[in-house]
Amino acid sequence: MDSPQLLLPVPRNLLLSESVYALPSQALLVISHSSLLFEAQSLQSAISQFANLNWDIVAGTNYPNIGVELRLDDSQTHPEGYQLSITSSGITVTAKQASGIFYGVCTLNQLLQQYQTQLPCLTIDDWPDFPARGVMLDISRDKVPTLQTILDLVEKLATLKVNQLQLYMEHTFAYRNHPDVWAEATPFTGEDILKLDAYCRQNGVELVPNQNSLGHTERWLKHARYSFGRMPRWLRITLGGHSPPPPSIRSTPAASNSWRCLYDELLPHFTSKLLNVGGDEPWELGKGKSKSEVEARGGRVYLDYITKLHREVTARGHKMQFWGDIIVHYPDLVPELPKDVTAMLWGYARRTIINWTGMVTWSVVTS
């Protein structure tokens, strides 16, 4: 039999034989532990959809007529790796932990979609290159998707073995104390996030909170409520030069205790202990009210701001991520970054070469 036409991601090792496993009309889907029920149900659904067969799920061992066995095995080397074995007598998925079983089931589901009841006999050994495999979706500067759309997306991402999702937010979380900011944005409510977080966990995806905390704050700044007089000096200096709203308004993106009040409301809706604070593209930094400060202190103005955000994040038991597009221009300041922050990079072009120097990343556009 030819090699399977499409397996995504492509497995590391695939050994194909000439034999075929014909799925019987009656068989059992056996799990070694009750904790694997979700993975078994995912496979059961695929068998029903693509092979038009209804197999019962049972737990334990020593059953006759086993069609598929999902088995936890501590001897497996890679925490999220799996082995998928299809022989002429049945199918076995083994892994060290439930996430590996799930990824093996995802691969098996793709085979079922392509071959229905006549599966090629093969052995696949696979494990991920990176522990974090994430997608960030901008839900602030384009149409805000419905909760159901995001739930559907999570399911698709999980089948592709993506294990982290971030929803980029500027003004699209319904902060209870700031309704004027999101009033016309059809935002995600706290209940929406709680439901989404639970669904992500079930699918092996970590939903990471993402609240831009410096640039891209125009939808906050346009409201007169957020006046400079109510903000600490360090925040006024850092944000004071941002894109101005109407001339009569001198504003800043958060009132009463800066971002900490937003973090206090946002973070309890997530089980993740990460927080992406953004911090990217503050185009007006060094202009307007921050001009003299930046002229005197350069990139240290930005570093001090990131450090203050870091204190707020860690005080809430989280680890901070931020975009490295500004700090990359000040390599001499990089050693002063808190050691547990993660500086991240995006590429502005489709083809981007990423280089690493210490904690800094930068991109070279090749086309």
Side-chain angles (χ1 to χ4, degrees):
M1 176 176 286
D2 293 336
S3 178
Q5 293 300 305
L6 184 62
L7 291 176
L8 296 175
V10 177
R12 286 178 178 270
N13 301 307
L14 188 156
L15 180 62
L16 187 67
S17 76
E18 296 296 327
S19 303
V20 171
Y21 174 52
L23 274 64
S25 59
Q26 297 293 324
L28 294 176
L29 205 168
V30 180
I31 56 178
S32 65
H33 193 275
S34 59
S35 62
L36 299 178
L37 176 60
F38 171 75
E39 291 76 16
Q41 289 174 327
S42 174
L43 178 55
Q44 183 185 52
S45 177
I47 291 172
S48 175
Q49 179 181 357
F50 302 122
N52 197 29
L53 298 173
N54 296 307
W55 289 6
D56 291 334
I57 299 171
V58 294
T61 57
N62 301 321
Y63 289 98
N65 198 26
I66 296 176
V68 179
E69 185 177 8
L70 307 182
R71 185 172 66 237
L72 293 173
D73 183 355
D74 288 336
S75 68
Q76 293 291 317
T77 304
H78 302 280
E80 293 185 289
Y82 67 90
Q83 182 179 82
L84 169 61
S85 175
I86 303 177
T87 70
S88 57
S89 58
I91 304 170
T92 304
V93 179
T94 57
K96 191 178 187 69
Q97 58 190 33
S99 59
I101 295 291
F102 178 69
Y103 296 144
V105 165
C106 289
T107 300
L108 180 53
N109 289 349
Q110 292 183 36
L111 291 168
L112 286 164
Q113 186 175 7
Q114 296 175 67
Y115 294 99
Q116 291 79 53
T117 62
Q118 304 293 313
L119 297 183
C121 291
L122 50 75
T123 300
I124 290 176
D125 288 288
D126 193 22
W127 61 92
D129 288 308
F130 303 103
R133 305 172 298 279
V135 169
M136 188 184 84
L137 178 66
D138 187 339
I139 65 166
S140 291
R141 292 175 292 182
D142 298 293
K143 177 182 177 181
V144 180
T146 65
L147 175 60
Q148 187 58 54
T149 296
I150 299 299
L151 293 174
D152 293 342
L153 175 64
V154 168
E155 185 174 349
K156 290 180 174 62
L157 292 176
T159 63
L160 296 174
K161 306 179 177 68
V162 170
N163 68 353
Q164 188 180 112
L165 173 64
Q166 299 189 18
L167 301 180
Y168 169 76
M169 294 180 178
E170 296 171 2
H171 65 302
T172 47
F173 178 76
Y175 290 103
R176 291 286 177 169
N177 292 323
H178 305 275
D180 44 347
V181 173
W182 50 261
E184 299 179 359
T186 59
F188 276 73
T189 66
E191 184 175 351
D192 289 336
I193 295 297
L194 290 170
K195 291 177 180 177
L196 178 58
D197 188 80
Y199 191 73
C200 283
R201 291 200 311 274
Q202 185 181 43
N203 284 272
V205 176
E206 179 182 6
L207 182 65
V208 176
N210 183 317
Q211 172 62 63
N212 204 329
S213 305
L214 180 59
H216 301 288
T217 49
E218 293 86 356
R219 291 177 180 84
W220 291 80
L221 289 168
K222 70 180 182 180
H223 297 285
R225 172 185 175 187
Y226 305 100
S227 80
F228 276 93
R230 302 175 67 183
M231 296 304 299
R233 179 177 179 274
W234 64 266
L235 190 57
R236 293 200 305 271
I237 289 172
T238 309
L239 296 177
H242 208 92
S243 296
S248 62
I249 301 176
R250 299 174 63 197
S251 53
T252 192
S256 89
N257 299 322
S258 67
W259 295 101
R260 65 174 65 97
C261 61
L262 302 188
Y263 296 163
D264 284 341
E265 182 174 352
L266 178 68
L267 296 180
H269 295 87
F270 298 79
T271 54
S272 173
K273 289 302 180 181
L274 300 174
L275 170 60
N276 188 342
V277 302
D280 62 306
E281 299 181 335
W283 303 122
E284 299 81 8
L285 185 62
K287 303 175 183 178
K289 295 182 181 299
S290 64
K291 182 177 180 179
S292 60
E293 188 79 3
V294 171
E295 287 177 348
R297 302 178 61 236
R300 193 165 294 281
V301 175
Y302 181 82
L303 175 65
D304 288 351
Y305 180 76
I306 290 297
T307 301
K308 289 179 171 67
L309 285 182
H310 174 260
R311 285 202 290 267
E312 298 294 342
V313 173
T314 56
R316 287 152 181 80
H318 285 64
K319 297 187 71 171
M320 192 177 92
Q321 300 174 339
F322 76 105
W323 294 111
D325 59 315
I326 302 301
I327 200 66
V328 73
H329 297 293
Y330 303 96
D332 56 315
L333 297 180
V334 169
E336 298 184 42
L337 283 169
K339 301 305 180 186
D340 62 342
V341 301
T342 300
M344 301 186 299
L345 172 75
W346 74 93
Y348 281 107
R350 180 175 296 180
R351 295 180 61 196
T352 302
I353 298 173
I354 298 176
N355 300 280
W356 299 81
T357 301
M359 293 181 63
V360 179
T361 63
W362 72 93
S363 63
V364 179
V365 178
T366 58
S367 66

